[in-house]
Amino acid sequence: MKPFRIILGLFCLLVAVWLIMPTLVVIPMSFNDKKSLAFPPSGFSWQWYANFFTNPEWSNSLLNSLKVASIVAVVATFIGTLAALGLSRMKHSGAGILRAILITPMVVPGVVLAIGIYAVYLNYQLVGTTFGFVLAHTMLAIPFVIIAVSASLEVFDVRLETAAASLGANRFTAFRTITLPLIAPGMLSGLLFAFVTSFDEIIVALFITSPYLKTLPVQIFTSITRDADPTVAAVGTIIFFATSLVIAAGLIIGSKSKRS
Amino acid sequence: MSTSKTRERGAAIDIRDATKRYGKFTALDNVSLHIEPGEFMTLLGPSGSGKTTTLNVVAGFTDLTAGDLSVGGESIVGVPAHKRNIGVVFQHYALFPHMTVGKNVAYPLTLRGVEKGERERRVKAALDMVKMADFAHRYPSELSGGQQQRVALARAIVFDPPLLLMDEPLGALDKKLREWLQLEIKRIHRELGTTFVYVTHDQEEALVLSDRIAVFNQGRIEQIGTGRQLYDEPATLFVGKFIGESTTLRGKAETSGDETGLTIAGQKIVAKEKLAGGETPVILLRPEKLSLAAAKAPITNGQNSLAGQVSEAIYLGSGSKYQVVLRDGSIAVVRSSLEAKPFTIGDEVDLRWSVEDSKLLADDDRADMTLT
């Protein structure tokens, strides 16, 4: 029994290292003192972090990403919550099919979606526009909101709305005072996932980007294909910590809503 | 029973020819029921009998297919639930988990725009009424089932509705707590004077609580009456079997004058009632009306006697309960007092009862449904 446990432990450790290593390698590289992506780094400096915040190419792309992701998070949460509410109240079998259709953007290969979106955007001159980015990313983010809100609706007792009605609340008041506060944690975790989905998105973004509107992932990609600039590693490190925080917050909120 | 003074606060309810169909299933079949202001009316019946549908119709959660419904003399057909001003207590409590006890009870007052000071006073009064005033700052998840139901009751009465509906409110609680809360509900009914309509499938609970009971079966009301009326004078075999314990006897019948005779496994018994034409009769007997005698003991005049064998003897403290297998295979339930001679399993006995206590009813196969 004992040797088996040791082997199992080592195997798990190996998998963990394999999963985390690529991310962790980025962190020391970001402190390199030379303009190279060599690992291990030869010295220590903050210069690439300084470059990220002072070089307008980088800071503009960060602002673009933040702007698009913020709008996407709000719009996707609104639409996704309505969809989840509708689906939870549909009694016939059509609900399952409709849910599957609404989730498809999550399972269809990104490049397929990207080609389709690009073709349509060329026609309607949406390439390189904030509206184009928001539209595409919202579509990608809605499934995450639907899943998160559906999870909190599953534990929501619809009979509470009946009780509210008996106490004098019309449907809208019952929704506002009872349903909404009880599914708010699910909506918040959906909002965070939607934000991260847009903020991280690269495939569609590469297709519909333009020199005038670059999001951060696009800027990283062009930078690393053009020259070995360690600023990429600095950005990677910042994004890694920022998204980890957001996702952790989302998971904590989500698990809290399931318990209540 | 409430006094006539407190009854003024309750509303009368009139249900006329109420029918509710779900596709081909008829949940309510031409039900009519009048409830007096301030009355405690219990809707009693097995699951699927239409009692909860009736409650949901009155509350406004379900629309009628046909018929009329009025509360306090005004028809409320088509009035949405939130405009009916009727208190409802649910079996599953339905407290709002994100609000404290105090906020839960204040909810209907907030919706009605009651100003803060008055609101706090009424919330406190309602919580005092159910003895939960110390729990105002707790959340529902921190309370036991019985405590949650008391809060739900406070929330349903805090806005002074003229009518309170309760849908198996004690169904999820254990026996001891249920018995105690039954007395609490009775007290609150007496103090408020509101009309109470209470749904249950528990006939003992119905007897403890109600002024009158409406017995439901298969979407219809079988009988409406006080507990005593239902127990002593059941209108149908279903009511007789559903309320209390009973023994039913079937046999070849013949009517002579005001009496009906039944031959059961070669022995003749008599009921002092006439048989309606064309009906197969059943004799219904209550366990405390029956007594046991040693086999072939002398019979006093005006008594029926059937031979049988004791198949179960249970000591209950206040007396004993026996099951006796009769010659035709049917089983009789007998309750005897402490003074009566005890019998043990296997004893050959005679089942005795007064001719007057034979309750003659029409046979009805609907009465043999599983009673849940």
Side-chain angles (χ1 to χ4, degrees), chain A residues 157 159-160 162-171 173-174 177-178 181-182, chain B residues 61 81-82 86 88 90 92 94-99 107-108 111-112 155 159:
Chain A
D157 186 354
R159 297 175 301 189
L160 293 179
T162 311
S166 80
L167 297 167
N170 61 35
R171 288 187 71 166
T173 308
T177 55
I178 309 299
L182 288 172
Chain B
F61 305 148
H82 70 270
I86 293 173
V88 186
F90 303 87
H92 50 91
L95 293 178
F96 306 131
H98 59 300
M99 297 182 191
Y107 186 79
L111 291 175
R112 284 164 177 77
R155 188 180 64 177
F159 56 101

Side-chain angles (χ1 to χ4, degrees), chain A residues 12-257:
Chain A
C12 290
L13 191 69
L14 194 69
V15 173
V17 168
W18 178 44
L19 288 175
I20 277 180
M21 224 34 206
T23 315
L24 294 184
V25 161
V26 172
I27 298 170
M29 285 196 320
S30 69
F31 296 105
N32 206 336
D33 63 346
K34 294 204 189 78
K35 191 174 167 126
S36 101
L37 278 170
F39 184 83
S42 54
F44 182 88
S45 91
W46 286 99
Q47 59 175 305
W48 310 114
Y49 285 89
N51 183 43
F52 173 60
F53 288 107
T54 50
N55 183 336
E57 243 192 3
W58 284 104
S59 50
N60 279 342
S61 66
L62 172 67
L63 288 179
N64 284 336
S65 271
L66 286 176
K67 185 171 77 179
V68 169
S70 302
I71 300 171
V72 166
V74 172
V75 176
T77 302
F78 181 73
I79 297 172
T81 301
L82 290 182
L85 278 169
L87 287 172
S88 78
R89 269 144 223 221
M90 274 176 77
K91 285 192 184 100
H92 53 87
S93 54
I97 298 164
L98 202 56
R99 185 180 296 271
I101 292 171
L102 284 162
I103 302 296
T104 45
M106 254 174 86
V107 284
V108 173
V111 72
V112 175
L113 277 175
I115 293 166
I117 291 168
Y118 183 59
V120 174
Y121 277 22
L122 276 180
N123 254 344
Y124 294 96
Q125 279 146 21
L126 285 168
V127 172
T129 63
T130 305
F131 179 72
F133 269 95
V134 168
L135 198 64
H137 282 178
T138 301
M139 184 188 73
L140 293 170
I142 282 175
F144 292 95
V145 179
I146 291 179
I147 288 169
V149 176
S150 291
S152 43
L153 279 170
E154 235 157 70
V155 293
F156 173 71
D157 186 354
V158 189
R159 297 175 301 189
L160 293 179
E161 287 183 353
T162 311
S166 80
L167 297 167
N170 61 35
R171 288 187 71 166
F172 178 71
T173 308
F175 178 78
R176 187 174 55 79
T177 55
I178 309 299
T179 317
L180 202 58
L182 288 172
I183 64 167
M187 288 172 64
L188 190 56
S189 91
L191 184 102
L192 295 177
F193 277 107
F195 182 89
V196 170
T197 300
S198 166
F199 195 77
D200 276 355
E201 208 283 327
I202 172 83
I203 304 171
V204 175
L206 274 178
F207 277 74
I208 62 172
T209 191
S210 77
Y212 308 105
L213 186 64
K214 275 186 184 173
T215 58
L216 192 55
V218 174
Q219 173 62 26
I220 291 171
F221 187 76
T222 42
S223 162
I224 204 156
T225 44
R226 202 174 52 211
D227 50 50
D229 185 348
T231 309
V232 168
V235 176
T237 306
I238 292 168
I239 294 179
F240 168 64
F241 281 109
T243 49
S244 298
L245 275 177
V246 171
I247 293 292
L251 288 175
I252 290 166
I253 291 163
S255 70
K256 258 191 189 157
S257 77

Side-chain angles (χ1 to χ4, degrees), chain B residues 4-55:
Chain B
S4 58
K5 191 175 149 252
T6 55
R7 286 200 167 196
E8 283 159 24
R9 292 181 60 187
I13 304 166
D14 247 312
I15 302 169
R16 278 185 300 273
D17 307 324
T19 297
K20 175 67 188 177
R21 282 189 212 96
Y22 295 100
K24 280 188 178 156
F25 175 70
T26 305
L28 274 187
D29 188 2
N30 230 9
V31 163
S32 291
L33 177 64
H34 174 79
I35 303 172
E36 294 289 333
E39 191 174 19
F40 198 124
M41 171 66 86
T42 295
L43 314 183
L44 175 68
S47 44
S49 61
K51 56 190 195 303
T52 297
T53 306
T54 305
L55 191 95

Side-chain angles (χ1 to χ4, degrees), chain B residues 64-330:
Chain B
L64 278 176
T65 311
D68 191 28
L69 163 71
S70 64
V71 172
E74 271 174 67
S75 175
I76 54 167
V77 174
V79 176
H82 70 270
K83 287 186 180 157
R84 291 197 177 186
N85 202 37
I86 293 173
V88 186
V89 177
F90 303 87
Q91 180 175 3
H92 50 91
Y93 321 134
L95 293 178
F96 306 131
H98 59 300
M99 297 182 191
T100 60
V101 164
K103 286 261 168 61
N104 262 282
V105 178
Y107 186 79
L109 300 178
T110 312
L111 291 175
R112 284 164 177 77
V114 176
E115 58 94 17
K116 194 159 177 278
E118 168 74 358
R119 200 165 68 212
E120 279 167 4
R121 191 190 63 73
R122 284 169 71 176
V123 167
K124 173 144 194 333
L127 285 174
D128 275 337
M129 173 76 85
V130 298
K131 299 177 181 159
M132 288 294 290
D134 296 340
F135 295 84
H137 297 292
R138 302 273 195 96
Y139 280 89
S141 58
E142 300 169 308
L143 305 179
S144 71
Q147 290 172 328
Q148 289 191 49
Q149 196 56 296
R150 280 190 279 156
V151 173
L153 181 57
R155 188 180 64 177
I157 60 177
V158 73
F159 56 101
D160 287 331
L163 169 60
L164 183 72
L165 309 176
M166 306 178 94
D167 186 6
E168 308 230 9
L170 310 181
L173 305 174
D174 64 57
K175 191 166 155 45
K176 271 260 183 290
L177 189 58
R178 210 159 59 217
E179 284 170 353
W180 179 68
L181 281 174
Q182 283 167 8
L183 297 178
E184 286 290 291
I185 289 170
K186 241 174 125 73
R187 171 182 63 80
I188 290 165
H189 173 247
R190 221 165 23 237
E191 287 176 20
L192 289 177
T194 304
T195 309
F196 275 37
V197 178
Y198 192 97
V199 164
T200 183
H201 62 265
D202 180 345
Q203 48 98 13
E204 267 180 61
E205 190 163 284
L207 291 173
V208 169
L209 292 170
S210 326
D211 292 328
R212 285 194 303 155
I213 299 166
V215 182
F216 279 73
N217 185 30
Q218 297 187 349
R220 267 187 273 221
I221 294 181
E222 296 258 337
Q223 189 175 1
I224 305 167
T226 62
R228 184 178 294 274
Q229 282 167 347
L230 298 180
Y231 189 78
D232 290 343
E233 298 295 327
T236 65
L237 184 59
F238 177 84
V239 174
K241 289 181 84 165
F242 198 77
I243 307 278
E245 286 183 302
S246 60
T247 301
T248 48
L249 301 172
R250 290 175 171 85
K252 198 174 165 309
E254 56 193 72
T255 310
S256 61
D258 281 348
E259 290 188 346
T260 303
L262 236 67
T263 310
I264 297 163
Q267 306 159 89
K268 200 170 169 197
I269 58 164
V270 175
K272 278 236 175 276
E273 281 178 292
K274 249 169 62 177
L275 180 64
E279 285 176 333
T280 327
V282 177
I283 284 181
L284 184 113
L285 300 163
R286 293 301 185 190
E288 67 282 356
K289 304 280 190 194
L290 296 172
S291 62
L292 294 182
K296 310 235 163 49
I299 305 176
T300 46
N301 222 4
Q303 278 216 311
N304 282 317
S305 179
L306 281 178
Q309 193 181 29
V310 176
S311 65
E312 193 68 78
I314 302 157
Y315 175 71
L316 294 172
S318 55
S320 292
K321 186 170 149 180
Y322 298 100
Q323 274 188 5
V324 178
V325 182
L326 302 174
R327 292 274 162 80
D328 69 340
S330 56

